[in-house]
Amino acid sequence: MSDASLHSASTSQPGEAGFGDFFALLKPRVMTLVVFTALVGLLAAPVAVHPVVGLAAILFIAVGGGASGALNMWWESDIDAVMKRTARRPIPAGKVTRDEAFAFGITLAVMSVVMLWLATNALAAGLLAFTIFFYVVIYTIGLKRWTPQNIVIGGAAGAFPPMIGWAAATGTISIESVLMFALIFLWTPPHFWALALFMRGDYDKAGVPMLTVTHGRRATRVHILAYTVILAVMAVGAGFTQIGGPVYLAVALVFNALFLRDAVAIWRRNERMAEADNYRVEKRAFRLSLWYLFAHFTAILAEAALRGIGMVAWA
């Protein structure tokens, strides 16, 4: 397909679903994180993987992540329509119907699991299937609208990709893959709660029981600090394990010091102070959190590369 045809498809008239509309159902920005962390899990594993097998594994993990996004949008089209940051998604915008999104998501989900099984092994495929089920059924349908801990629960689904990548390479689950899971799992709450502090109006309108809505902003600030402290201890501690090393430890020390600085600053503030500077500190913490995972997983990848050329990180 040419660039011109892609542009034409992605800018179809209202009511006509184009390529860009179905691609948007996959949540491409979220998929980028899925692909990157799964790739790190695959390459950090102590097993050589044929490039074709590795490429196939990452492709099918990405498709599975996209399937989860499409099914999430299918179920949440009602609240997407009333939230400013999601109102232009394909379903509320009238580009794709709910039935089309559901069929698209289910098809991709089944295909991704089956193809990952054929390309790698049953454990990796099983983890991918469980991740899709967990995100769509347990989190999106079951718990997101019922508990203020929705972000904590949803974080587990987003934390599986490096475990799946590791399993695709080794056929096993190990402490190293669990640590990568924990890094994403513990990062997710302070990341999203920082966003919720300056985007609360959207969640109020949609009736989503975000912590800022159910327990107030003071409690949210306390939770951000608590989770960031636990995250920092775990992230720095991982530097002394097999996925860590001097490069990772240096990155972890710097980024966790900065994240803790912002979490403490958020905890010390009240709404009057935050409104006075348009949530400057909260927005700074959110921007930092976007780089946090990228930096840590890049460092894990760097340590794996150093081990690959014979430079053992820790004796």
Side-chain angles (χ1 to χ4, degrees), residues 16 85 128 146 148 183 249 251 273 287:
E16 298 177 1
R85 69 183 183 88
L128 179 60
W146 295 99
L183 189 61
L249 187 59
V251 168
M273 297 168 64
R287 287 193 299 267

Side-chain angles (χ1 to χ4, degrees), residues 197-198 200 217 221 269-283:
L197 283 173
F198 59 88
R200 179 182 173 182
R217 299 192 178 195
R221 294 176 186 278
R269 285 156 66 85
N270 56 37
E271 288 311 297
R272 179 184 57 80
M273 297 168 64
E275 290 174 358
D277 62 10
N278 194 29
Y279 295 90
R280 179 180 60 84
V281 174
E282 291 78 3
K283 290 177 180 178

